[in-house]
Each structure stands twice: as C-alpha cells, then as structure tokens.
Amino acid sequence: MTAAAPPRAAARGSAPALDVQRVRADFPILGTMVRGKPLVYLDNAATTQKPRAVIEALIHYYTAENANIHRGVHWLSEHATQAYDAVREHVARFINAASPREIIFVRGTTDGINLVAQSYGRTELAKGDEVLITGMEHHANIVPWQLLAEQRGVRLRVAPITDAGELDLEAFTGLLNERTRLVSIVHVSNALGTINPVARIVELAHARGIPVLVDGAQSAPHLAVDVRALGCDFFAFSGHKLLGPTGIGVLYGKEQLLERMPPYQGGGDMISSVTFEGSTWAPLPSKFEAGTPHIAGVIGLGAALEYVETLGLAAIEAHERDLLAYATERVAALPDLRVVGTARDKASILSFALAGIHPHDIGTVLDHEGVAIRAGHHCAQPVMRRFDVPATARASFALYNTRDEVDILVRALHRVREVFA
C-alpha cells in the first residue's frame, strides 16, 4: 500500500459553506437510478452534469430566440446577437480579462490550444525554436505542439515531474533558454490533480520574454481564475467541464498578441472585406470566429457562469477540497491501493490503482454499484508511463458530490476486492 497524505482541505481561507443538498436539487440527472442504485457521479473531470438553469437556457434559446447572429436585421437576430455578445462580456469578467475583445469562443480547451499553435506558432516560431511543456500534460497540450514541430521544425521540450506528481521547478527553470519561444502548461492535471504554481511559472518565463499559455480545462471549474493576476498570455478552458454545454469553450489571449496573430480558419463573419483577389479581417474577436458559432452553447455557458457565481467559487473550492481530503484519507486505508499523484496542492481529482486489478475491472464493478468513475489513461499516456501504470481509476469531484458518496465509493472498492479475491 502507498500512503497518501490528504491534500490540504481548506488552504485558501474560510469560505461560506455550500448547501450541497440544495445544489443537488438543481441537477435533475442526479436523481437517476443506475442498475437499481442511486447514481454516484464521480467522473466530473471528463464532463460535469448540468444544472436546470443551463438546461432551461438552452430550451429558451431554441424556443424563443433562435436566429443567426451578427447578420440579420430582424428582431430575433438582434435579440440573439445581444444575448451572445453579453456572454462574451460575462466571460471577460469571470476570468478578469481586460476586455471582451480578448475572449475568443472556441469548441473547447483543445480547440483553443490548437488555435494558438496554428496561428501564433506558425507565424512567431521557426526552425530551432522551442516550446516547453511539462511531463504532466494531457494529449491536448502535447499533440498540437508535435504537429507544429512537424510543420515548422520546432523542438518540443518537456520539464520533468517528481514522484509526487509535482513540477520539478528547478529543472523547468533550467530548460528555459534563448531558444524557448513559448511555455504551455496545465493549471490542474487531469490525471493527478496537481495544481501548478502558474503565477511563479509565468514570472520565470516572462523574465526571459517568453509568453505562457495555460491549459485551464481542470482549473476553471474548481478555482477562481484571474488571468491578470496569473499574468498568463493565453488561457483556455471548456464549457462542459464547468456545468455548461459541450462543444463550447474559451480562449483568452492578451489583446496585443491576438492583434498580431492571423486567423487560422476562414469563412463568414471573420472578414472585413472579400474580393477574388484577397480578403481583409474583421477586428477582434470576430477575426478568430469563422462561420456560424455555437450560439446556444455560448448562451448555455453564460447560464453556467451565472450559476457558479451565485454559489461562489470560494465556497465551491472549499467544499471540493474537503471532499478530496476526506476521500484521500478513506481510500488510503484500503489494502493494496496506491494513490497516483500525491502533490501537496491538489484539486478535485483522486487517481488510484489496486494491486492486481485492472482499472477497467474496477470501473466495471463500481458501475454495478451505481458509481461512475473514469478508468483508463485519461488522454495522458506519458503520465501513465511516468508512474509505471497502464492506467488508473479516477474519481473526480464536483460541487454536488457529498461525503456520503465518498463512503459509497469506498464500500464499492471493498466489493471490488471481494470480486477479485
């Protein structure tokens, strides 16, 4: 058995308590029975469930506001346009961007990172330049840079992580050099739960004039994000991990960088003028939003942000830290269980392995107990290799989970041991 110290339960000060039972009533799917047992949904790092407010916002859009935006002069189009643009202002406030022009709507975190790789990367980076990432990235923050490396002759460098799953900051610093042109780093690891010291990383990179992209897929749903306090140059996150719809996400970029970058997709709404001889581009943010966007998704995202703000991210973070500490302490007492990822500062994610039992088998038995977790490599195969496991079982928590559900998880893990004894 590998002992795992519980992560700090409330490291960021006191916060108002979350009324979890009231929160759970807002999520209709949590009343679902799975194989005759109440659903215990612990796969929130993959996607979160949706509150009634988001579901109703989508229904309202399609039943009362549906129209294309930025083109029509009729009432519906003007109304939909106002609703869409209002969410951009809302997102800017949510992450404390300097301007709505710095908010680009994309399909998700992956799309946002690819946008930077194919726009900034293909124009600002050349053969021999380096992009620095870390050993805890998921595939969405590895593969786009590998594609760029093939296209531009760029070299991808990887900063190592420790046995606890923390970034080796000294090694990271040593890899920064005159050839480093971009740092791209995950804020919270989806496989380990590690919270990276992003502000310090940005400080180190900026001291050498290197811009920093932050993959916020797992941080925006669980931590209060202030892009200006972090100092990052780009920040990407997904709506569906933050109680919103699938297929919508956000790329934040500093305005002066976005202004320098060319569009990487062409089509309607992103142009200023078009002739057969050439085209000119619309101002920010339209330059990067070619074609009809995911209007309903944006409106649903706005409803999700409003819901989260009503509860308060400080209260959500405190509740989830308590859950993670409690769950870590409970599972650490199980025989032959190894927690993968024991960083001092973690958020919401508990990855583990049981000796002699494949994570897929763990997931299957838990499913028969009504408990939904994720089993696999979590789109982070290099992380699995680093910890010498083919995969892990991963329980990931959200604002609507409870200590009682952690107890059900633990009882179900005892059931796993019984089945494979």
Side-chain angles (χ1 to χ4, degrees):
M1 183 183 81
T2 299
R8 293 194 288 268
R12 297 175 194 278
S14 60
L18 205 61
D19 185 344
V20 182
Q21 293 307 319
R22 181 180 170 191
V23 169
R24 289 179 64 84
D26 292 334
F27 292 78
I29 203 170
L30 296 182
T32 300
M33 299 294 287
V34 175
R35 307 184 195 285
K37 298 177 180 175
L39 169 66
V40 175
Y41 185 78
L42 301 177
D43 194 17
N44 297 287
T47 195
T48 56
Q49 300 301 340
K50 318 307 174 193
R52 191 172 281 105
V54 170
I55 298 168
E56 290 176 350
L58 296 173
I59 293 172
H60 179 77
Y61 168 72
Y62 281 123
T63 55
E65 296 178 334
N66 181 50
N68 213 326
I69 61 170
H70 296 161
R71 299 175 179 84
V73 295
H74 54 81
W75 185 89
L76 272 181
S77 179
E78 290 181 356
H79 205 72
T81 298
Q82 290 170 3
Y84 181 91
D85 290 343
V87 176
R88 196 188 307 278
E89 296 177 2
H90 193 166
V91 172
R93 292 194 301 274
F94 187 75
I95 61 172
N96 197 30
S99 163
R101 293 187 298 276
E102 298 181 322
I103 304 301
I104 312 298
F105 288 124
V106 291
R107 289 182 297 161
T109 305
T110 300
D111 198 28
I113 296 172
N114 275 278
L115 191 162
V116 176
Q118 293 301 312
S119 177
Y120 183 86
R122 291 183 73 169
T123 53
E124 301 282 342
L125 277 66
K127 185 176 181 180
D129 289 342
E130 296 179 358
V131 174
L132 179 57
I133 61 174
T134 78
M136 71 178 80
E137 307 302 328
H138 66 152
H139 299 165
N141 200 24
I142 300 172
V143 181
W145 308 116
Q146 292 174 332
L147 292 172
L148 180 68
E150 293 176 1
Q151 295 160 350
R152 301 290 293 170
V154 171
R155 184 183 183 193
L156 184 60
R157 305 293 301 275
V158 182
I161 58 177
T162 68
D163 291 343
E166 296 176 330
L167 176 65
D168 183 336
L169 202 57
E170 183 176 350
F172 171 87
T173 305
L175 287 169
L176 294 172
N177 63 69
E178 66 279 2
R179 295 183 297 278
T180 311
R181 292 290 181 268
L182 184 73
V183 168
S184 189
I185 188 166
V186 69
H187 197 172
V188 174
S189 163
N190 75 318
L192 306 171
T194 306
I195 301 176
N196 274 317
V198 168
R200 177 61 179 152
I201 289 167
V202 170
E203 184 180 31
L204 291 168
H206 281 186
R208 288 177 169 271
I210 303 165
V212 178
L213 182 154
V214 177
D215 172 351
Q218 299 295 341
S219 64
H222 307 291
L223 310 174
V225 171
D226 182 332
V227 291
R228 284 192 277 181
L230 292 174
C232 60
D233 302 275
F234 301 101
F235 188 96
F237 68 94
S238 301
H240 73 99
K241 297 180 192 292
L242 209 168
L243 312 182
T246 57
I248 188 66
V250 169
L251 173 69
Y252 156 82
K254 286 182 177 174
E255 188 168 354
Q256 64 270 30
L257 290 174
L258 294 175
E259 289 285 7
R260 281 168 32 196
M261 293 162 53
Y264 85 122
Q265 290 181 329
D269 216 29
M270 51 75 70
I271 53 84
S272 176
S273 69
V274 175
T275 69
F276 286 117
E277 288 72 36
S279 303
T280 58
W281 317 132
L284 291 173
S286 299
K287 180 172 68 171
F288 293 107
E289 296 181 5
T292 297
H294 187 3
I295 305 167
V298 167
I299 289 171
L301 174 61
L305 299 184
E306 185 173 349
Y307 182 82
V308 167
E309 288 173 333
T310 299
L311 298 176
L313 264 165
I316 292 171
E317 181 183 352
H319 172 67
E320 293 177 351
R321 282 180 177 271
D322 174 74
L323 275 182
L324 180 62
Y326 181 65
T328 303
E329 187 174 4
R330 293 287 329 264
V331 302
L334 291 168
D336 301 323
L337 186 141
R338 172 192 177 193
V339 173
V340 180
T342 54
R344 288 163 292 183
D345 203 7
K346 291 181 61 176
S348 191
I349 288 169
L350 178 63
S351 281
F352 57 90
L354 277 171
I357 305 175
H358 194 281
H360 286 173
D361 293 328
I362 298 173
T364 299
V365 174
L366 292 188
D367 178 57
H368 280 78
E369 300 298 317
V371 180
I373 64 161
R374 179 55 56 97
H377 54 63
H378 317 303
C379 295
Q381 290 179 339
V383 177
M384 299 299 111
R385 282 190 284 274
R386 169 63 179 80
F387 288 93
D388 195 27
V389 292
T392 69
R394 182 186 71 186
S396 51
F397 306 101
L399 67 170
Y400 39 68
N401 291 128
T402 67
R403 282 192 170 207
D404 288 344
E405 290 182 317
V406 172
D407 293 339
I408 294 171
L409 167 68
V410 173
R411 287 199 295 272
L413 288 171
H414 280 293
R415 176 63 181 151
V416 174
R417 298 297 303 169
E418 292 170 3
V419 169
F420 290 94

